[in-house]
Amino acid sequence: MFSVKKYIEEVQFNLEKKSNELIEAFKSLKNVQFPNDTAVLFAWSSFSLDDVTLFLEAHEDMFNSVDPVEEDSDYTSSVILLNSILLYDADTKSFNEDEEKKFFEFYSDNDLEKVTIKEYGNWVKKCFDRANTTLNEPIYFMILDEDEVLNLVTGEWEDPVEVEL
């Protein structure tokens, strides 16, 4: 009934629909002024299969965001890159209770959360590359509460504890 290949294809299809928006959001960062104590930027979101928002936040290090800036300042410490990203929409499948249970077993048995995060990260990296934007700070993609971050310049997943800025 379910296949990993079809699941991944749907995630990729849903992300691709938002590519132009994310590329333009990355391009617009050249006009954003971040506070002087910004050492690194994070494109981040929490993990959900639907209604995901992708934020960009300025950090003073790998773990601490810069202090919020005053409203009338020319600087900003965070930006919404994209609203309402749909990764996979189980609701449109009209699953009955048994099918829904089987889907979540399939999802769990195939470690699809990890697979989805990697697909999402690779898509963010692809859009960042296509935006061809040069930033003064390193930039990473992360999902809250996950152990690794994706360096959007190198394409490498890294342990943030080991990153030297």
Side-chain angles (χ1 to χ4, degrees):
M1 178 176 200
F2 302 108
S3 88
V4 172
K5 182 178 187 247
K6 285 189 186 303
Y7 172 86
I8 291 171
E9 286 173 352
E10 182 170 336
V11 169
Q12 291 170 336
F13 176 79
N14 288 332
L15 290 170
E16 191 58 38
K17 290 190 290 189
K18 292 286 200 170
S19 291
N20 288 337
E21 283 180 68
L22 184 55
I23 291 165
E24 290 306 312
F26 278 133
K27 285 180 180 179
S28 72
L29 293 179
K30 67 181 174 232
N31 301 320
V32 176
Q33 293 184 6
F34 296 104
N36 291 336
D37 53 349
T38 300
V40 61
L41 299 172
F42 280 98
W44 68 271
S45 67
S46 56
F47 185 76
S48 170
L49 291 180
D50 59 358
D51 202 24
V52 177
T53 298
L54 184 62
F55 300 91
L56 184 88
E57 191 171 71
H59 278 222
E60 60 188 23
D61 57 34
M62 293 300 286
F63 300 98
N64 300 298
S65 57
V66 296
D67 291 329
V69 293
E70 297 171 16
E71 283 187 38
D72 58 348
S73 172
D74 291 336
Y75 295 97
T76 188
S77 55
S78 66
V79 176
I80 294 176
L81 294 173
L82 274 181
N83 272 319
S84 299
I85 304 167
L86 178 73
L87 299 175
Y88 182 85
D89 190 0
D91 292 339
T92 63
K93 309 297 186 269
S94 301
F95 290 152
N96 63 36
E97 197 173 311
D98 186 50
E99 291 168 329
E100 188 173 305
K101 182 180 176 197
K102 286 179 181 174
F103 172 75
F104 287 109
E105 285 174 8
F106 158 77
Y107 185 88
S108 177
D109 290 348
N110 290 285
D111 203 10
L112 291 181
E113 181 173 326
K114 184 172 278 185
V115 169
T116 306
I117 289 170
K118 297 294 184 193
E119 287 296 327
Y120 184 20
N122 291 336
W123 172 75
V124 171
K125 164 77 171 127
K126 183 173 84 172
C127 291
F128 180 76
D129 289 347
R130 288 173 54 195
N132 199 26
T133 300
T134 302
L135 301 169
N136 294 327
E137 301 83 8
I139 183 169
Y140 290 84
F141 166 77
M142 75 173 186
I143 298 291
L144 291 180
D145 300 327
E146 290 297 315
D147 296 333
E148 292 184 313
V149 295
L150 176 62
N151 183 321
L152 292 182
V153 175
T154 67
E156 298 294 320
W157 288 92
E158 303 174 20
D159 180 340
V161 172
E162 296 178 10
V163 173
E164 292 184 29
L165 297 174

